[in-house]
Amino acid sequence: MPVYKAPLRDMKFLLNEVFDYPGHYQRLASGANASPDIVDAILTECGRFCEEVLSPLYQSGDEQGCSLTDGEVTTPEGYKAAYQHYAEGGWQGLSAPEEFGGQGLPASMGLLKQEMMGTANWSFSMYPGLSLGAMNTIFLHGSDDQKHTYLTPLTEGRWAGTMCLTEPQCGTDLGQVKTKAEPQADGSYKLTGTKIFISSGDHDLTENIIHIVLARLPDAPKGTRGISLFIVPKFLPAEDGAVGPRNGVSCGSLEKKMGIKASATCVMNFDGATGFLIGPENEGLNCMFTFMNTARIGTAIQGVGPAELSYQWALDYARERRSMRALSGKKEPDQVADALIHHGDVRRMLLTQKAIAEGGRAMLYYAARLADHMVEGHTEGDLDKAAKYDDKLGFLTPILKGFLTEMGCEAANLGMQVFGGHGYIREHGMEQIVRDTRIATLYEGTTGIQALDLLGRKVLVMTQGGAVREFTLKVANFARKQLTNKRLRPFAVELLKLTAQWNLLTVRVMLAARKDRDVVSAAAYDFLMFSGYVTMAYMWLRQSAVAVDKLTNGGEDSEAFYQAKLATAEFYYERLLPRAQAHATSMLSPTRNLMQLDAEDMAFTG
């Protein structure tokens, strides 16, 4: 059975040498306890937990899946013990406020933990991952009583959380939500309706589950302006903080899915369930965006995670499996054939996986620094600071979620391809990674929705191109500083060209959209992918600049490690980055080639 190894060397390279997290933490109020020694110990211990506890459950959980009996969900064998280990270790409260039982560490520490957990066993990581979003929502929008009631047991991992948005008649278009919330004399509400695709909607890991639910009040305006947000516990809390009577919410069925089968994806029925309003009436969608942005950043990990896991397993297989001789001559003359890793096309697949995993990890860690500042702004009550970093992070969020999950799917498929026919056989684990990864491009908004959010909302409507100008200026300023280095100059020149092109493409799409509104939808996917390739190129230049410096002046790792960084960057710039130009060409093509065919003429059958 394949095993996961935490990529601690690459993680520490990014944290300590590329992004200066030690200095970053020193400047944060929440970073006082995040000393290099503490961070190193946390990463090491979390890596051990993921390798020894979560990874062994990855394939067995997929084989067994979840079961539903009399409205109660049972998770696969070993999950409950693993969750108990997780909760007792204090992992759920790593970045939660100390006043609610957390460790008060920066938000980015939670992301590092999530990355390792999600790579080792994505299905398991979804249970505590959904709770984090519920905790953030209650912390930012809940009343003092709600915080007192829910945050401590959630932080301790005794309770879990979900978000309940989607309904049978609507997915992304939440303006169609029909779940009703009837006000009661005691200030509570009775919720009635059905929600679908609810991850962790029911399970046996915790004593209670706290649902964050979108619903409509009786006199609510139509559309998204009439949605409110409610807390609906599975068991109503007692006054002493214990679990009280069962509420009117239950799991009606489990979805039969392509992947992540050990994660309970539920149809949830609310039958006059008691709920409590969180945030202002009819502003539930705004409050929920706290949850959504948290979830989208978390989902971006499912682009990096499968790329890393699939690469680890494919690399081991390519080193051991022998087939034919290398075209340049025998590499292992004492063996019956050369190992797969000596073949050029196999190298292409492996290096693509490596470039995606390590480039994507850098994108996540770059964004995590912004998240730290945003969270600190909220914690300190500095709304200007929170808004500033929320805007910066908001621009990157759809790129992270959309681009990285698309690339994660590619990497997972390449890993399966390295195995050849064995990749299609379940026992090797590669086909499971492909199945598990596919959902990442769909939930928390499909790639198309992320693309519309990026181009239509963040770039054109909210900033009139300003978001692109601000980010590319930062990228260009960094690239200019590398022009004097002979090894980095080709990367820097190419990146400077791309930043200028990114701005030009933004202007051209903006002008075209004034005459044809379909341009935004038609160009959005290619705009997002172009943005992703350029952003990853920026991350590879940053890693390369550090590698060059450390090769000259010495660093924390070996010379071979830094040389590998430069070789991977060269591969990325010469083999993968050229794809950006295809997306540039596509986004500027006329909408006529998409829209000219009448709907009834899309197919001729019979």
Side-chain angles (χ1 to χ4, degrees), residues 281-293:
E281 292 184 2
N282 302 326
E283 293 187 19
L285 205 56
N286 292 333
C287 295
M288 181 62 83
F289 267 112
T290 303
F291 209 148
M292 289 294 291
N293 286 329

Side-chain angles (χ1 to χ4, degrees), residues 523-602:
Y525 167 77
D526 290 299
F527 186 89
L528 180 142
M529 296 301 290
F530 180 93
S531 303
Y533 279 113
V534 179
T535 303
M536 187 172 280
Y538 173 42
M539 295 300 113
W540 272 113
L541 181 57
R542 291 194 63 158
Q543 294 182 77
S544 298
V546 172
V548 167
D549 175 69
K550 300 305 178 183
L551 285 170
T552 302
N553 301 310
E556 296 182 6
D557 219 304
S558 66
E559 179 178 334
F561 177 88
Y562 298 118
Q563 292 288 8
K565 282 293 178 184
L566 290 171
T568 308
E570 187 173 333
F571 171 85
Y572 179 81
Y573 269 82
E574 295 182 2
R575 291 270 181 168
L576 299 184
L577 189 55
R579 299 177 182 181
Q581 295 309 317
H583 289 292
T585 300
S586 293
M587 81 173 76
L588 295 179
S589 68
T591 58
R592 182 175 177 276
N593 56 43
L594 287 176
M595 311 305 293
Q596 65 179 331
L597 193 59
D598 290 339
E600 57 269 23
D601 294 336
M602 292 290 285

Side-chain angles (χ1 to χ4, degrees), residues 14-305:
L14 293 174
L15 293 172
N16 299 331
E17 299 184 295
V18 177
F19 296 121
D20 185 24
Y21 265 77
H24 167 66
Y25 285 154
Q26 286 182 358
R27 294 185 289 271
L28 293 175
S30 60
N33 295 326
S35 65
D37 289 345
I38 293 296
V39 171
D40 187 70
I42 289 172
L43 293 179
T44 300
E45 189 57 36
C46 186
R48 184 180 298 113
F49 170 69
C50 293
E51 293 171 359
E52 297 177 359
V53 178
L54 298 189
S55 182
L57 299 175
Y58 181 58
Q59 288 179 280
S60 63
D62 178 71
E63 292 283 350
Q64 186 176 349
C66 296
S67 60
L68 176 66
T69 304
D70 298 328
E72 299 288 339
V73 173
T74 301
T75 54
E77 184 177 347
Y79 267 53
K80 195 166 186 177
Y83 185 85
Q84 190 67 25
H85 189 160
Y86 170 84
E88 290 175 353
W91 293 110
Q92 187 69 351
L94 193 66
S95 299
E98 292 180 89
E99 63 182 300
F100 300 113
Q103 298 178 45
L105 292 170
S108 54
M109 287 299 299
L111 183 137
L112 304 179
K113 173 201 71 178
Q114 284 180 272
E115 183 206 338
M116 286 189 278
M117 289 179 58
T119 308
N121 190 329
W122 184 262
S123 289
F124 179 92
S125 74
M126 289 189 68
Y127 292 102
L130 270 293
S131 297
L132 292 172
M135 291 161 62
N136 289 341
T137 303
I138 294 172
F139 178 74
L140 289 179
H141 305 291
S143 66
D144 289 341
D145 286 344
Q146 289 170 341
K147 293 177 184 178
H148 175 77
T149 300
Y150 298 104
L151 285 181
T152 297
L154 283 168
T155 299
E156 294 174 349
R158 291 188 289 112
W159 296 1
T162 76
M163 64 176 181
C164 298
L165 289 73
T166 307
E167 299 183 3
Q169 77 285 350
C170 70
T172 302
D173 186 4
L174 294 174
Q176 298 184 48
V177 164
K178 294 182 178 179
T179 298
K180 297 178 181 179
E182 296 284 345
Q184 305 298 299
D186 62 358
S188 66
Y189 296 79
K190 292 294 184 184
L191 275 73
T192 304
T194 297
K195 300 287 185 177
I196 63 171
F197 304 157
I198 307 306
S199 298
S200 310
D202 195 73
H203 52 77
D204 58 353
L205 304 181
T206 59
E207 64 185 30
N208 202 0
I209 302 173
I210 310 304
H211 303 286
I212 308 294
V213 186
L214 287 180
R216 291 187 181 280
L217 296 170
D219 57 350
K222 294 182 179 180
T224 57
R225 292 181 299 172
I227 301 176
S228 299
L229 194 62
F230 299 87
I231 298 173
V232 184
K234 177 179 179 179
F235 294 95
L236 294 170
E239 290 186 5
D240 60 358
V243 170
R246 178 68 187 259
N247 202 358
V249 54
S250 61
C251 175
S253 64
L254 287 172
E255 303 288 0
K256 296 177 174 62
K257 303 174 296 184
M258 174 179 175
I260 55 170
K261 294 183 178 181
S263 171
T265 305
C266 305
V267 174
M268 299 301 298
N269 296 320
F270 296 85
D271 301 308
T274 298
F276 308 95
L277 182 69
I278 178 171
E281 292 184 2
N282 302 326
E283 293 187 19
L285 205 56
N286 292 333
C287 295
M288 181 62 83
F289 267 112
T290 303
F291 209 148
M292 289 294 291
N293 286 329
T294 301
R296 285 171 179 168
I297 295 171
T299 303
I301 295 173
Q302 201 176 355
V304 175

Side-chain angles (χ1 to χ4, degrees), residues 317-319 321-323 338-344 346-347 418:
Y317 186 81
R319 285 170 170 165
R321 178 76 172 183
R322 289 176 171 80
S323 180
D338 291 330
L340 292 178
I341 200 167
H342 297 298
H343 299 301
V346 174
R347 285 292 188 105
V418 170

